[in-house]
Amino acid sequence: MKTFCGRANPTTGALDWVEESEEYDYHQEIARSCYADMLHDHDRNKKYYEGIRAAVSRIKARGERVVVLDIGTGTGLLSMMAVTAGADFCYAVEVFKPMAEAAQCIVKKNNFSDKIKIINKHSSDVTVGPDGDMHEKANLLITELFDTELIGEGALPSYEHAHQNLVMAGCEAVPHRATVYAQLVESELLWSWAQLQPVEVEGLRLVPPPAVGRCAGAHSVCDIQLSQVSPSSFTPLSPLCTMFSVDFSRPVSSAFQSHSTRFVAQTGGRAQVVLSWWDLEMDRSGTIVCSMAPSWMYPQPAMAPWRDHWMQSVYFLPEESRVAEQEELSLTVCHDDYSLWYSLQSHSLQDAPAKAPPSRPCCTCQAHLVWTRSRFGELNDRRRTGSYIAALRSVLSEDSVCLSVSDGSLLPVFAHMLGAKKVFSLENSRMSRQVIEEVLEANSVKGGVELLEIRPEQLTSQDLRGEQISVLMGEPYFSTSLLPWHSLFFWYCRTALAGILRPSATILPSSASLHMMAVEFQDLWRIRAPCGTCEGFDVSPMDEMIQRSLDFRESREAEPHPLWEYPCRALTQSTAVMTFDFTQCVPKQPISSQGSLPLIRSGRCHGVALWMEYQLTDDVTVSGGLTQPISEQGTCEWSRHRRQGVYFLRSAWDSSGDGRAAVSYSFTFEPSLGDIKMDFSIITQ
């Protein structure tokens, strides 16, 4: 059965009514779930298996039957480990129906159906009793309910309920304990993701609104692959602090708690950011530890396990503060049932009254709701800002009438500061408009830019007070963009605005180009690679389920990834495969491009990286992808601000690097759909 669904088109800006199978969302959820990443995490699996064996042995040694409750069973892997280790029976709970069905198939395929019962419920709905889901309470609790922040998937409420209703007092638990660690640092790079920095424009200083500087920011955690942030990018102000532990074998509370650690500052600096991660002790002995520490914490960084399902966390302090070397400080972490937040206190004032633990941060300035953290970083990128200022300087004159089309952009403010006669800006929301108004007011140029909350196709000459636009500009940046080419919305806006442009109007950027190259991923390939056998168990039914969902549509589409977090090597040269001329309106006919790129470096080709570059003027280009030329070895440096597109090949290809094999490509831009269809294959001579 098919149904009509209304979907906002991020490229055309239109609301498209499309006919979709009723199973579309189901398949999309499975295709993008990245379950394979967890099963490819051998370190995690091995440590769980060791912890389960030890717990089962202890219970057996007491002469008890081993009854397991496995919450969040996924594929059923941990339950199968438990039965193999000697458990008498397992109740495996999985709330996601497709995964529960896959687990049922996997358990049957591995001949454990008589020892493992799959329960397709949330654990808080599971019942115990003769007619219940569980006939008896468990004495071994196994869970994998964690996210990068440890508790963000509701681990604490689930544990709390399980101890109250589903497991025996004094039960064994795997993992046995989790411990959260934190380090206070100064980092210009990371702080640039939280606060707007001043900008120099033609000798004038553009400052952020005071309300932004006072704001504690967004409450959500910033989870990243911290291994890809070089230690040279931050200065540690504290030692690595142990903040708190949770013992999962005892009753757990999901109520608000706070924990403080006192330390002496290692060096002076600006306290801005807290880096945090956690580890799991799989056994009571504390000898089986699964750590989420970034690679640079390991004696041999190359030996650090890679994971994408558990990364590291960056927390931004409510306000920046100066600390002195040897100053006594306390770092406090608070948590509710789903999230953590940090604060810093100084003990330099002897009689300072003790402060109550701070409440969860909440954005009060609206800027942190309008701008994502990567967007803050983009706005604070001096090199990028310099490119836009140089481009604007080259096209503006004292009689320029400018119109900006980008969400929450500073370009119109720059244009005013550079002396344009009149500047208009289209804002996509009232909140975005208010943030830019506050920027203007903070710099005493309120009224210098007229902000219009109007869609491009509805804008009239009357809205512009009879003016015709001489400079149409955009970064382009739109909050609805997911894939790089979604920024082509600027082209559709330019087309809709054609009637109010002067015949000689300058369009900035004048064009955009889509670039590609074939790559070998260091680790990202794991999220799409089939598992087959995991720790001796056949999990192929899960591979088949994911492949069916990928074949439904996703395998023919690119997906967005911030490639600065996921190292890769270029196996081909990079090349522009499509160019979009913004000086002209969007054409009626499709634009197509075909060709091939020889594989000139040896390695395993996992797929294709895609990004956009914008030609602001003849001399100025801004890249949303590569920021440096590819090295001789194929090393790539990527923009930290934009996500790139990744198209995974169905099967990886081993390249000898002699150029005899090539990646064949085909692209078609459909103007009516605002979409780019693409296809790739490996060809050999």
Side-chain angles (χ1 to χ4, degrees):
M1 179 179 172
K2 294 189 174 183
T3 57
F4 278 101
C5 302
R7 298 190 187 279
N9 188 313
T11 309
T12 65
L15 179 64
D16 295 339
W17 287 93
V18 294
E19 193 179 44
E20 291 283 17
S21 165
E22 62 180 4
E23 296 183 327
Y24 173 75
D25 289 332
Y26 162 92
H27 285 294
Q28 189 177 54
E29 179 77 14
I30 294 170
R32 296 292 170 93
S33 62
C34 300
Y35 280 107
D37 168 39
M38 289 184 277
L39 295 182
H40 282 297
D41 186 348
H42 176 65
D43 179 72
R44 160 195 177 271
N45 301 337
K46 176 187 172 187
K47 302 287 176 59
Y48 260 102
Y49 213 165
E50 291 174 358
I52 288 169
R53 287 194 193 100
V56 170
S57 295
R58 277 195 301 276
I59 298 172
K60 289 280 189 184
R62 297 196 294 263
E64 301 174 19
R65 290 178 71 248
V66 181
V67 180
V68 175
L69 172 60
D70 175 7
I71 301 178
T73 195
T75 59
L77 175 67
L78 303 184
S79 286
M80 293 190 293
M81 288 178 176
V83 172
T84 303
D88 295 282
F89 199 81
C90 293
Y91 296 101
V93 181
E94 176 56 52
V95 69
F96 185 40
K97 186 176 181 180
M99 204 66 241
E101 292 171 349
Q104 196 81 54
C105 293
I106 290 168
V107 166
K108 182 177 180 181
K109 193 176 187 69
N110 289 273
N111 300 313
F112 289 115
S113 295
D114 61 330
K115 292 284 187 83
I116 299 174
K117 178 183 179 181
I118 305 297
I119 303 171
N120 180 207
K121 286 185 175 182
H122 192 282
S123 63
S124 60
D125 296 324
V126 171
T127 57
V128 180
D131 299 320
D133 302 304
M134 299 171 61
H135 293 165
E136 58 189 315
K137 288 188 175 183
N139 57 2
L140 174 52
L141 175 58
I142 300 174
T143 60
E144 210 284 47
L145 298 170
F146 314 113
D147 68 347
T148 293
E149 202 173 15
L150 183 66
I151 64 173
E153 290 185 1
L156 295 181
S158 295
Y159 271 111
E160 186 174 43
H161 176 270
H163 277 286
Q164 291 171 353
N165 301 280
L166 305 177
V167 299
M168 298 178 184
C171 71
E172 298 280 347
V174 179
H176 173 70
R177 180 184 291 110
T179 302
V180 174
Y181 303 92
Q183 186 169 43
L184 179 69
V185 304
E186 174 183 348
S187 174
E188 182 179 354
L189 169 66
L190 299 177
W191 192 241
S192 74
W193 299 351
Q195 289 291 338
L196 190 63
Q197 306 299 319
V199 181
E200 296 292 333
V201 184
E202 296 292 278
L204 301 174
R205 188 174 172 84
L206 180 69
V207 298
V212 177
R214 292 193 301 265
C215 181
H219 72 269
S220 58
V221 64
C222 177
D223 53 342
I224 63 170
Q225 291 284 357
L226 201 53
S227 297
Q228 300 308 314
V229 176
S230 168
S232 64
S233 299
F234 59 86
T235 302
L237 303 181
S238 77
L240 184 63
C241 301
T242 301
M243 298 307 301
F244 69 95
S245 295
V246 183
D247 186 338
F248 298 126
S249 66
R250 298 178 179 178
V252 171
S253 172
S254 62
F256 171 89
Q257 293 184 35
S258 65
H259 310 268
S260 294
T261 297
R262 195 158 177 159
F263 63 92
V264 172
Q266 296 180 169
T267 186
R270 295 173 295 163
Q272 299 168 324
V273 174
V274 174
L275 310 182
S276 183
W277 55 88
W278 45 269
D279 65 26
L280 297 174
E281 293 177 31
M282 294 298 183
D283 185 57
R284 290 178 180 272
S285 67
T287 59
I288 308 168
V289 179
C290 187
S291 173
M292 306 312 127
S295 61
W296 35 259
M297 287 294 293
Y298 284 72
Q300 295 179 288
M303 300 302 292
W306 182 86
R307 319 182 157 90
D308 205 43
H309 54 105
W310 296 330
M311 295 187 280
Q312 295 80 36
S313 301
V314 174
Y315 298 90
F316 304 97
L317 291 177
E319 59 183 359
E320 178 185 86
S321 60
R322 280 274 174 190
V323 300
E325 187 174 356
Q326 295 299 305
E327 183 177 354
E328 286 193 37
L329 301 164
S330 286
L331 186 63
T332 298
V333 60
C334 301
H335 72 79
D336 52 20
D337 48 351
Y338 282 93
S339 59
L340 282 68
W341 59 96
Y342 284 83
S343 61
L344 183 69
Q345 299 82 37
S346 173
H347 297 286
S348 58
L349 299 177
Q350 297 293 325
D351 300 322
K355 291 184 179 180
S359 57
R360 188 168 69 171
C362 177
C363 176
T364 55
C365 71
Q366 302 188 91
H368 299 92
L369 305 178
V370 170
W371 295 325
T372 63
R373 292 184 175 113
S374 57
R375 179 61 170 161
F376 265 100
E378 189 168 61
L379 294 173
N380 286 324
D381 186 330
R382 296 187 186 92
R383 181 177 174 183
R384 179 180 180 276
T385 296
S387 295
Y388 281 96
I389 290 173
L392 284 171
R393 189 190 300 115
S394 70
V395 302
L396 292 178
S397 62
E398 59 184 16
D399 64 345
S400 293
V401 178
C402 305
L403 175 63
S404 173
V405 182
S406 276
D407 293 348
S409 176
L410 298 179
L411 284 192
V413 186
F414 297 158
H416 172 75
M417 296 175 76
L418 289 168
K421 172 186 170 185
K422 187 68 180 173
V423 183
F424 299 92
S425 179
L426 299 187
E427 294 298 333
N428 72 329
S429 70
R430 184 156 300 173
M431 194 178 296
S432 174
R433 174 178 175 172
Q434 288 173 350
V435 169
I436 300 303
E437 281 177 346
E438 288 177 11
V439 172
L440 294 168
E441 187 170 351
N443 290 276
S444 304
V445 289
K446 192 173 183 180
V449 178
E450 191 163 339
L451 303 169
L452 305 171
E453 206 177 318
I454 303 173
R455 289 184 59 84
E457 66 272 17
Q458 297 170 338
L459 190 68
T460 66
S461 178
Q462 188 175 356
D463 297 315
L464 303 176
R465 309 188 190 284
E467 298 276 9
Q468 278 201 309
I469 301 302
S470 61
V471 178
L472 177 65
M473 58 190 179
E475 299 184 36
Y477 171 83
F478 303 102
S479 58
T480 53
S481 296
L482 294 175
L483 289 160
W485 43 93
H486 288 166
S487 62
L488 291 176
F489 179 51
F490 178 78
W491 202 9
Y492 287 83
C493 294
R494 178 260 181 269
T495 302
L497 296 166
I500 59 172
L501 301 179
R502 295 180 188 175
S504 59
T506 296
I507 312 296
L508 188 157
S510 59
S511 66
S513 50
L514 175 64
H515 292 245
M516 69 159 276
M517 66 183 181
V519 297
E520 174 187 49
F521 285 109
Q522 182 175 302
D523 295 296
L524 189 63
W525 59 270
R526 300 172 197 271
I527 71 171
R528 288 289 167 265
C531 295
T533 300
C534 179
E535 308 304 321
F537 302 100
D538 186 345
V539 295
S540 58
M542 188 208 67
D543 294 335
E544 294 161 6
M545 177 187 74
I546 292 175
Q547 192 57 54
R548 282 194 300 272
S549 291
L550 285 168
D551 290 343
F552 186 79
R553 177 178 298 174
E554 299 290 317
S555 63
R556 301 189 298 276
E557 295 181 350
E559 53 192 76
H561 290 284
L563 292 185
W564 74 269
E565 293 187 60
Y566 303 105
C568 61
R569 286 178 59 244
L571 300 183
T572 66
Q573 293 180 335
S574 66
T575 188
V577 292
M578 301 191 89
T579 299
F580 310 96
D581 184 359
F582 294 163
T583 65
Q584 304 297 316
C585 291
V586 176
K588 302 291 185 185
Q589 300 303 315
I591 302 173
S592 297
S593 172
Q594 295 85 32
S596 62
L597 282 175
L599 290 159
I600 58 172
R601 295 184 183 89
S602 61
R604 172 158 272 213
C605 181
H606 295 114
V608 173
L610 303 136
W611 68 96
M612 297 288 280
E613 294 189 1
Y614 305 99
Q615 194 79 26
L616 304 186
T617 64
D618 291 342
D619 304 318
V620 183
T621 300
V622 171
S623 174
L626 289 176
T627 58
Q628 298 290 336
I630 301 167
S631 76
E632 203 171 308
Q633 294 75 32
T635 305
C636 307
E637 291 188 30
W638 298 95
S639 167
R640 295 180 187 268
H641 314 314
R642 300 281 176 113
R643 295 189 173 205
Q644 292 72 43
V646 175
Y647 188 109
F648 288 100
L649 298 178
R650 182 155 186 166
S651 299
W653 177 270
D654 289 319
S655 165
S656 61
D658 58 9
R660 293 185 180 182
V663 177
S664 172
Y665 61 84
S666 172
F667 294 88
T668 302
F669 171 65
E670 296 281 358
S672 60
L673 302 175
D675 196 16
I676 297 178
K677 302 295 182 185
M678 59 189 70
D679 191 38
F680 303 93
S681 60
I682 302 294
I683 56 174
T684 57
Q685 292 183 357

